[in-house]
Amino acid sequence: MYNGIGLTTPRGSGTNGHVQRNWAFVRPGKKDKEYRAEDDTKKLDAQLNRPPNKEILDHDRKRKIEVKCIEFEEILEKQGRTPEEIKSQVDSYRQKLMGQGKTDLAKDEFGRVAVRETHQIAEAQQQKNAKLREAFNISEYFVEGSSFDCDRKAKEDLAKTVALQKELDAQRESLAAAAAAASTAAAAAAAAGKDKETGKRYALLRTPSRERDDGAGKSDAAAASGDERDHVSRSDKKKKKKRARESSASPERRKDKKKKSKKHKKER
């Protein structure tokens, strides 16, 4: 017996007790693997190399600057400065921090980037890729898959022109939007200036209209005629009901009614 396999003792088995593997056993083959297509790999690359949102990063940077400004303001208040001095110094400190531009990402004791937010991680990855590109002397407008292509330089130049054209279009759109906003503000200011120059306001005159009076008279007449019609219709309905009862009554009942009416007349 070896490793729990085989007979406890070879006595009476007609064998020497040697354990060996089964040569007739066929191992099951590996299952077919589903390999990723090119579209799936492109999607994964796009997700990994997704650029960070600049607006969110700028918002976080401004928030950190405001936190520093509040801390500086508290220090000045403890020192007993006047509100005007505090405001001027805090404004100058804020302008100084805003002028510094982008702040360095937080790093741990080993010099590694220690960030947890998604957009900050994407920014750190972008900086890392830029350093690696500079180390290998790879162009910023490098086209993937063109390393061994004879027209590599032409493709890079084309990509560069397309990127520059996009930047120019974005600048033109921003300038046009700023000009439109300035023109609307100038028009509003000019209209406000004209209103101030004239400065005339006329009171509203409310005169009674004849149409309403005529309409009121007509409505009263219509209401009176409507009441008369209702009264006539009610009386007609009563007469119709009475006739229907008389027509539906049996001849014996009619005789009884005639007798009763004669008795009433005699009593009168």
Side-chain angles (χ1 to χ4, degrees), residues 76-138:
L76 294 175
E77 285 177 357
K78 288 180 181 178
Q79 291 178 359
R81 303 289 181 88
T82 59
E84 295 177 355
E85 290 179 356
I86 291 169
K87 188 177 179 181
S88 62
Q89 290 186 11
V90 169
D91 290 338
S92 62
Y93 183 61
R94 185 182 289 109
Q95 290 177 1
K96 181 182 177 182
L97 292 174
M98 293 289 284
Q100 288 179 359
K102 293 183 179 179
T103 56
D104 294 332
L105 296 170
K107 294 182 180 180
D108 58 2
E109 56 183 358
F110 301 105
R112 295 175 296 187
V113 177
V115 289
R116 294 183 179 179
E117 295 183 4
T118 307
H119 297 281
Q120 291 181 353
I121 292 168
E123 187 183 14
Q125 186 67 29
Q126 218 173 29
Q127 292 177 2
K128 183 180 177 181
N129 293 339
K131 289 180 181 178
L132 190 65
R133 195 186 299 114
E134 289 178 0
F136 287 104
N137 197 14
I138 299 171

Side-chain angles (χ1 to χ4, degrees), residues 1 5-11:
M1 188 173 183
I5 300 167
L7 301 171
T8 54
T9 177
R11 289 180 182 178

Side-chain angles (χ1 to χ4, degrees), residues 189-202:
K194 287 181 181 179
D195 293 338
K196 286 181 180 179
E197 286 177 0
T198 54
K200 292 181 181 179
R201 292 184 180 180
Y202 299 98

Side-chain angles (χ1 to χ4, degrees), residues 29-207:
K30 293 181 180 179
K31 294 180 181 180
D32 296 334
K33 291 185 178 180
E34 294 181 358
Y35 295 99
R36 291 173 181 171
E38 291 183 1
D39 296 334
D40 297 335
T41 53
K42 285 180 181 178
K43 287 179 182 178
L44 288 171
D45 291 338
Q47 289 177 359
L48 291 172
N49 299 321
R50 185 180 293 174
N53 193 335
K54 293 181 180 179
E55 294 180 357
I56 293 173
L57 293 173
D58 192 25
H59 176 73
D60 291 338
R61 186 172 66 86
K62 289 179 180 178
R63 184 175 58 80
K64 289 177 182 178
I65 288 170
E66 289 298 324
V67 169
K68 290 181 180 178
C69 291
I70 290 168
E71 291 175 354
F72 183 61
E73 186 178 354
E74 290 177 353
I75 292 167
L76 294 175
E77 285 177 357
K78 288 180 181 178
Q79 291 178 359
R81 303 289 181 88
T82 59
E84 295 177 355
E85 290 179 356
I86 291 169
K87 188 177 179 181
S88 62
Q89 290 186 11
V90 169
D91 290 338
S92 62
Y93 183 61
R94 185 182 289 109
Q95 290 177 1
K96 181 182 177 182
L97 292 174
M98 293 289 284
Q100 288 179 359
K102 293 183 179 179
T103 56
D104 294 332
L105 296 170
K107 294 182 180 180
D108 58 2
E109 56 183 358
F110 301 105
R112 295 175 296 187
V113 177
V115 289
R116 294 183 179 179
E117 295 183 4
T118 307
H119 297 281
Q120 291 181 353
I121 292 168
E123 187 183 14
Q125 186 67 29
Q126 218 173 29
Q127 292 177 2
K128 183 180 177 181
N129 293 339
K131 289 180 181 178
L132 190 65
R133 195 186 299 114
E134 289 178 0
F136 287 104
N137 197 14
I138 299 171
S139 175
E140 186 180 355
Y141 306 101
F142 173 73
V143 181
E144 293 183 0
S146 63
S147 299
F148 300 100
D149 196 350
C150 298
D151 300 331
R152 175 185 169 186
K153 189 69 177 175
K155 288 182 179 179
E156 288 182 2
D157 293 338
L158 182 62
K160 185 176 181 180
T161 52
V162 170
L164 292 172
Q165 187 65 34
K166 286 182 180 179
E167 289 179 1
L168 289 171
D169 293 338
Q171 288 178 1
R172 286 173 186 171
E173 288 178 359
S174 62
L175 289 171
S183 62
T184 52
K194 287 181 181 179
D195 293 338
K196 286 181 180 179
E197 286 177 0
T198 54
K200 292 181 181 179
R201 292 184 180 180
Y202 299 98
L204 293 172
L205 296 174
R206 296 180 180 178
T207 56

